[in-house]
Amino acid sequence: MYETSYHRPSSLAEATQLAAEKGDEAKYLSGGMTLIPTMKQRLAAPEALIDLRHVGELKGISVNGRSIRIGGGTTHAEVATNEEIKSVCPGFAALAGLIGDPAVRHMGTVGGSVANFDPAADYPAALLALGGTIHTDKREIPADEFFQGLFETALDEGEIVTAVSFDAPDQCAYEKFRNPASRYAMCGVFVAKRADGVKVGVTGAGASGAFRWSDGEQALSGNFAPEAVDGLTVPEGDMVSDIHGSSAYRANLVKVVTKRAVKKAHSH
Amino acid sequence: MTDVTITVNGREMKGSVEDRTLLVQFLRENLGLTGTHVGCDTSQCGACVVHVDGKAVKSCTMLAVQASGSSVTTIEGLANGQELHPVQAAFREHHGLQCGYCTPGMIMTAVDMIERHGSSLDEETVREELDGNICRCTGYHNIVKAILAAAGASQAPAMAAE
């Protein structure tokens, strides 16, 4: 790891001020579960790290009725074990419990994952399917507009994800088809059903990061059953192709994993 | 260089470190606590698991400066003098190790797992939660047995008190 300098603000204002002073040589550090390994590989070398783990404004989960808001600094373990989220939106809590391993879930945060937008990150699939909102220190951004491409979000330089929020749907579930070695999603699908239709968020498979599978949404809105997507074909051209699987394999996975997610949604 | 203060195994330790120093480096090189191992150095193998403020984390993926002000427990902090911690005793009893390289991380992960699940731990959960700890000798079978045995044993004092 190249040299860096560590800063520990205790408020959002202090954090953004530090970021403004350090400019683009600075990076925010949340749980560090992606950033620190990346720095160790010398693929990232920020001159300054601004640790957000001690910023109180980023903490906490609030559930009012079916409306859920999760602070950006909340860890995956906190989401996975939160009784209120488990009771109102079990599919979302279950997703958090599938990220990494227990030690990673103790450190990694919702805000960090969302801001990084790894193409195999789990939360983006859920936030797209739930029609969620990403809150920052400056504004609120709908998930559909927030996630833009590979590691690319609507965030401006120095902007911090302070929370994510969404209303719990009538039914939802996340199904993750893991790479057997890395345990990252080769394809992860979050399905969410409401009175006005079904939304399907897919991660791990798309060449431009998580996306909504609109053909699947249309079919499932008519009939929320696994077989509803049987006749559909997912375009191969939009899929990742690498040593772990061809684009054709991943395109097929989108369908298979969606069917499993729908089945799971009926059992939650 | 930054001054850090970390309570390690109940004792307040101070040190001056480069900001890029990993927690595991600080423990091993500054404090000489070499029980915490570095296996893969890429946050996958779990040989470096310690507890930070009561939670299992991978000390190869945390900076020492991040842990300043926190309490850290390492494998050296588990035993009570000559008396092994129940999880350590269970690993010995059930032959939960061969070469021993992964063992400190396995035991720290197991202690954390038992604290969270108690005696409701079942085999499936243990295997699922060992996702981040790799052992290349045992095939995991005796590790799982040891953890399940210790989970039962840990509950014994509480049950006796009822």
Side-chain angles (χ1 to χ4, degrees):
Chain A
M1 192 187 298
Y2 290 111
E3 273 189 68
T4 187
S5 68
Y6 172 82
H7 306 270
R8 186 186 286 188
S10 52
S11 70
L12 265 185
E14 204 186 325
T16 48
Q17 194 192 330
L18 271 165
E21 282 167 20
K22 307 287 176 190
D24 56 9
E25 299 304 327
K27 265 203 183 297
Y28 292 121
L29 173 66
S30 190
M33 295 294 99
T34 302
L35 182 54
I36 291 180
T38 311
M39 288 173 69
K40 287 169 71 176
Q41 291 176 296
R42 296 186 171 182
L43 295 172
E47 283 175 17
L49 287 174
I50 303 169
D51 188 353
L52 299 178
R53 286 175 71 235
H54 302 268
V55 173
E57 293 114 301
L58 301 178
K59 307 281 181 199
I61 295 170
S62 63
V63 179
N64 294 312
R66 300 190 62 77
S67 177
I68 297 174
R69 183 189 164 104
I70 302 168
T74 309
T75 64
H76 312 320
E78 287 164 344
V79 174
T81 57
N82 183 277
E83 291 302 329
E84 286 183 295
I85 298 179
K86 276 162 75 178
S87 94
V88 175
C89 194
F92 195 84
L95 172 148
L98 289 172
I99 300 172
D101 58 53
V104 167
R105 294 195 285 273
H106 281 150
M107 288 293 290
T109 65
V110 175
S113 170
V114 165
N116 187 49
F117 193 30
D118 186 288
D122 300 282
Y123 291 120
L127 292 170
L128 287 170
L130 291 164
T133 302
I134 288 84
H135 303 250
T136 78
D137 56 313
K138 294 180 186 165
R139 56 195 167 136
E140 295 178 5
I141 310 166
D144 281 327
E145 291 165 31
F146 182 87
F147 299 113
Q148 298 188 339
L150 222 51
F151 296 104
E152 197 182 318
T153 67
L155 287 174
D156 289 333
E157 205 66 49
E159 194 171 3
I160 298 175
V161 174
T162 54
V164 301
S165 68
F166 53 88
D167 287 333
D170 300 339
Q171 282 178 295
C172 69
Y174 182 62
E175 179 73 24
K176 183 173 181 174
F177 187 92
R178 288 164 148 178
N179 178 304
S182 74
R183 313 296 279 157
Y184 277 101
M186 301 260 308
C187 178
V189 175
F190 197 98
V191 293
K193 181 180 185 292
R194 302 178 194 273
D196 61 355
V198 174
K199 284 185 181 177
V200 180
V202 182
T203 192
S208 309
F211 64 94
R212 276 176 58 194
W213 184 30
S214 48
D215 289 351
E217 293 183 351
Q218 210 174 346
L220 290 166
S221 294
N223 175 20
F224 192 57
E227 58 272 21
V229 301
D230 275 345
L232 302 180
T233 311
V234 178
E236 273 178 49
D238 304 335
M239 298 294 122
V240 175
S241 182
D242 59 19
I243 56 164
H244 306 296
S246 64
S247 48
Y249 179 73
R250 279 197 170 80
N252 190 55
L253 268 185
V254 171
K255 209 163 107 173
V256 172
V257 177
T258 298
K259 291 171 76 163
R260 292 181 187 172
V262 172
K263 195 175 166 198
K264 195 186 264 184
H266 284 291
S267 68
H268 265 316
Chain B
M1 302 290 273
T2 298
D3 293 330
V4 295
T5 304
I6 305 177
T7 302
V8 180
N9 300 329
R11 286 179 61 196
E12 192 178 274
M13 308 302 276
K14 289 182 187 297
S16 187
V17 296
E18 279 193 317
D19 290 3
R20 62 178 161 178
T21 306
L22 299 170
L23 177 59
V24 69
Q25 281 176 293
F26 178 73
L27 294 171
R28 290 177 58 87
E29 292 164 25
N30 291 53
L31 304 184
L33 294 172
T34 53
T36 303
H37 292 168
V38 179
C40 68
D41 203 24
T42 55
S43 34
Q44 296 173 75
C45 81
C48 68
V49 170
V50 300
H51 296 182
V52 175
D53 297 325
K55 294 191 170 94
V57 303
K58 292 181 168 175
S59 61
C60 82
T61 314
M62 183 175 196
L63 301 173
V65 285
Q66 282 178 283
S68 190
S70 291
S71 284
V72 173
T73 306
T74 70
I75 189 71
E76 290 93 341
L78 287 186
N80 181 11
Q82 291 302 304
E83 190 192 333
L84 291 179
H85 182 279
V87 178
Q88 292 174 306
F91 268 66
R92 186 170 71 174
E93 175 68 22
H94 295 275
H95 300 283
L97 63 147
Q98 285 179 31
C99 86
Y101 200 88
C102 72
T103 312
M106 284 286 178
I107 289 179
M108 297 312 287
T109 295
V111 170
D112 173 75
M113 200 188 296
I114 293 168
E115 274 169 13
R116 285 183 288 109
H117 296 280
S119 59
S120 70
L121 254 188
D122 56 22
E123 182 180 340
E124 193 189 340
T125 309
V126 173
R127 289 187 183 275
E128 178 66 36
E129 294 222 351
L130 286 178
D131 205 10
N133 292 76
I134 294 175
C135 172
R136 297 289 79 155
C137 308
T138 63
Y140 302 96
H141 201 62
N142 286 354
I143 292 173
V144 174
K145 256 202 259 180
I147 296 173
L148 287 171
S154 301
Q155 291 305 301
M159 283 161 68
E162 277 169 8

